[in-house]
Amino acid sequence: TIAGPHGHVPGTEEIWTKVSNGPSIMQIGSEIRQWRPNMAMMAPPNGHTVHAAINTSNSIQYWFYFAQFPPPPNQPGRGGNAGRGQAGRGNQPPSFPQAALARATVAGKPLSSLPADAYKW
């Protein structure tokens, strides 16, 4: 079984993480690699590089998939001609993987309320 090689429009961020056992391979561009459990692949967001998942076993395989697609080009203020210039280069929102990581990270808490230098000997 193969999810045929395909690309996406530029700016599409798509990630596949293999969660099941069993042999499978991935294709990214002209590269073909073994795809082991807990390995992830991010499809290059350049709109040109094809990618595919290939199940080489006789059993069902599972992947965790998440993606963010760019807004339609005519949506005001979101990358189209309408609203152009509203967001400068430095004001771009974080990429989807960066935002997902920030949302998934739990802020640390100090182990003690004592000042940082209280444990100097």
Side-chain angles (χ1 to χ4, degrees):
T1 304
I2 181 171
H6 62 282
H8 297 285
V9 298
T12 300
E13 295 180 344
E14 177 182 71
I15 298 173
W16 292 82
T17 304
K18 187 167 191 292
V19 296
S20 60
N21 289 321
S24 64
I25 55 179
M26 71 172 85
Q27 175 186 358
I28 302 177
S30 62
E31 305 249 342
I32 295 179
R33 307 270 173 126
Q34 292 294 321
W35 204 342
R36 295 179 184 89
N38 302 316
M39 286 178 66
M41 177 269 296
M42 179 176 174
N46 60 18
H48 299 288
T49 307
V50 297
H51 53 281
I54 305 167
N55 179 357
T56 56
S57 75
N58 290 326
S59 62
I60 295 173
Q61 301 273 328
Y62 298 95
W63 284 263
F64 174 66
Y65 164 84
F66 60 103
Q68 175 170 297
F69 299 93
N74 60 353
Q75 192 173 6
R78 297 295 306 251
N81 290 334
R84 180 168 245 148
Q86 290 181 358
R89 267 185 101 93
N91 297 329
Q92 294 294 326
S95 72
F96 179 67
Q98 290 169 334
L101 178 64
R103 288 191 306 271
T105 302
V106 177
K109 294 181 181 176
L111 297 175
S112 169
S113 60
L114 295 174
D117 62 351
Y119 295 102
K120 288 189 176 182
W121 303 101

